[in-house]
Amino acid sequence: MQIRTASDYLTSLKQVKPTIFYKGKRITDVTRHPATAPHVRSAAMTYSLANMDQYRDLAAATSHLTGHTISRFTHVHQGVEDLIKKVKLLRVLGQKTGSCFQRCVGLDGINAVYTVAYEVDQKLGTNYLERFKKWLIRIQDENKMVVGAMTDPKGDRSKGPADQHDPDQYLRVVKRTDEGVFIRGAKLHMTGAVNSHEILVMPTTALDKRSTDYAIVCAIPIDAPGITMIFGRQANDDRRDRMEQIDTGKPRFGVVGGEAVIVFEDVFVPNKCIFLNGETEFTGSIVYRFASHHRANYGACKTGLMDVLTGAVSYLAQMQGTSTASHIKEKVTEMIHLSETLYCSSIATSAEGWQTPSGGYMVDTMLANVCKQNVTRFHFEVARLALDIAGGLIATLPSEQDLKSEDVGHLVRKYFSGVKGILVEDRIKIARLIEAMTGGTALVESMHGAGSPQAQRVMIFREGNLNQKIKLAKALAGIPLKEKRVSKQSN
Ligand code: SF4
């Protein structure tokens, strides 16, 4: 089935039968279950946008493999222009959903695996890229949604995969046959997993030669035998699950992406869907390329969210009669400044993109790390300013049920009325939107998604080229590059 529209996407999800649990019960239809449907609608927006004239140029691309028009979420970047269009697309999608629309993880996995598979084949004479291309052409032509599955549970984090007391704490091959492999383990925090069609499995870290069974890259249908998913909880999810229209804040779309644990219990993968199998020396490249693409993306999707938050709190200030106060204007200005600064870094990672030997393009990795590091600060500061402007009602508002109550509804209306003429419902809706976008799950995603802050700091220091910077300083200070050292004797 070729998925063209959001409606096609929903239909396609009814045709797969993944095993999903949430709060101890099975979910049989993710398009209708109140816990998953908002996240499905967020992902569906990626299909909708491709059918809108004003966004088609951003949302669609031309496959370098077939020449077909495809979704940008299945495209291997063929130049800087592709990277920049992707960033613009993600900001628009963030603005329209106020949420995570999930498909970037698959996109980043596709680009990491494609570029590295080429290099593995060149060095070792393997045939991974051809296999991957065949799989990718089907994904492109059918416009499937792929979840990029990278993060392992990691068990005892002081030890690597080969030294765990439970070897399944990192996903691994447990059996090899002539037809393929069987894999066991789990992937955590999997954004969009329950409403994807296929899983692209990648290792979670660079591996040494003792860990060949963990060096596996492969693709698996979401409903393959042996796969079980457990859908995670989010802040205020009971409101979402009861489909409270006002108190959810964002009833159409999820707070963030809708994450799940994917468990693999001896899942069979045929040879044609294996794209790395034991070549540990290439695992670091796959992880780093995936992470760099995703870190660059964060500066775009989160800018879209910060745009929504800035708009929400500015409107609330109008409703409360504070919008003309100079300190409110100053804070809103700072919110805009931080959002655009973050966007700059996402654009810059793309503008400084480079061609890999495969022909596919990578973002600038240093700038990608800086970009994601900025997300862990700027999004939080924008949220802090939004809460500062909004006031304490974000934490103390009476419930939707009280607003609708015959007993106290008139009191809620009277004392949350704000500026004359505004609808109390609208003021509460906007306040709830701000609550949803500044609450626990939303900000945790900004902190740890695409790698925790320390992961970026390690790479920033490693790629910072300190020796070169020291040379610059020496040159200006008139110190020879090989300066004379004072010997101990002369002291
Ligand atoms: Fe895409 Fe952003 Fe969601 Fe990551 S957090 S999948 S970059 S929307």
Side-chain angles (χ1 to χ4, degrees), residues 286-342:
I286 288 179
V287 173
Y288 196 43
R289 288 189 190 177
F290 171 87
S292 298
H293 277 303
H294 211 63
R295 287 169 193 172
N297 292 348
Y298 257 62
C301 72
K302 299 306 177 207
T303 303
L305 268 57
M306 287 150 67
D307 291 335
V308 174
L309 197 47
T310 305
V313 82
S314 299
Y315 186 39
L316 186 66
Q318 289 175 9
M319 290 169 151
Q320 298 179 160
T322 56
S323 62
T324 55
S326 61
H327 73 98
I328 298 290
K329 286 184 187 167
E330 176 56 32
K331 285 165 189 163
V332 170
T333 303
E334 180 66 5
M335 291 171 78
I336 296 169
H337 168 71
L338 289 170
S339 304
E340 298 302 336
T341 305
L342 182 60

Side-chain angles (χ1 to χ4, degrees), residues 90 99-105 191 294 297-298 301-302 445:
L90 302 193
S99 184
C100 166
F101 32 90
Q102 310 142 35
R103 283 183 84 187
C104 330
V105 279
T191 300
H294 211 63
N297 292 348
Y298 257 62
C301 72
K302 299 306 177 207
E445 194 203 50

Side-chain angles (χ1 to χ4, degrees), residues 219-426:
I220 311 163
I222 205 80
D223 53 358
I227 289 179
T228 302
M229 288 185 274
I230 308 163
F231 192 65
R233 295 208 68 170
Q234 297 184 338
N236 293 334
D237 56 9
D238 281 340
R239 303 182 195 178
R240 177 198 64 194
D241 296 353
R242 288 195 299 262
M243 293 195 277
E244 294 174 3
Q245 291 299 301
I246 294 176
D247 277 357
T248 309
K250 227 192 308 170
R252 274 190 72 206
F253 303 112
V255 171
V256 285
E259 281 73 29
V261 180
I262 311 178
V263 181
F264 303 75
E265 293 180 286
D266 296 4
V267 176
F268 176 68
V269 187
N271 286 327
K272 68 177 182 179
C273 291
I274 298 173
F275 313 125
L276 192 82
N277 189 2
E279 296 85 355
T280 51
E281 66 182 288
F282 295 93
T283 50
S285 293
I286 288 179
V287 173
Y288 196 43
R289 288 189 190 177
F290 171 87
S292 298
H293 277 303
H294 211 63
R295 287 169 193 172
N297 292 348
Y298 257 62
C301 72
K302 299 306 177 207
T303 303
L305 268 57
M306 287 150 67
D307 291 335
V308 174
L309 197 47
T310 305
V313 82
S314 299
Y315 186 39
L316 186 66
Q318 289 175 9
M319 290 169 151
Q320 298 179 160
T322 56
S323 62
T324 55
S326 61
H327 73 98
I328 298 290
K329 286 184 187 167
E330 176 56 32
K331 285 165 189 163
V332 170
T333 303
E334 180 66 5
M335 291 171 78
I336 296 169
H337 168 71
L338 289 170
S339 304
E340 298 302 336
T341 305
L342 182 60
Y343 188 59
C344 288
S345 59
S346 196
I347 288 284
T349 62
S350 305
E352 292 287 306
W354 52 278
Q355 190 177 35
T356 67
S358 71
Y361 268 66
M362 266 299 296
V363 293
D364 182 286
T365 53
M366 166 61 101
L367 296 180
N369 281 297
V370 169
C371 178
K372 172 65 211 316
Q373 185 80 184
N374 286 344
V375 173
T376 68
R377 296 176 178 178
F378 296 178
H379 195 180
F380 281 69
E381 179 62 7
V382 164
R384 189 187 72 80
L385 289 166
L387 292 174
D388 180 350
I389 295 169
L393 90 167
I394 301 296
T396 61
L397 266 176
S399 71
E400 185 173 339
Q401 286 87 349
D402 289 318
L403 178 69
K404 293 173 179 169
S405 157
E406 286 187 10
D407 296 320
V408 294
H410 64 289
L411 298 176
V412 175
R413 286 176 192 285
K414 178 177 171 67
Y415 292 111
F416 287 92
S417 55
V419 168
K420 191 171 181 214
I422 65 138
L423 281 178
V424 174
E425 276 90 345
D426 288 352

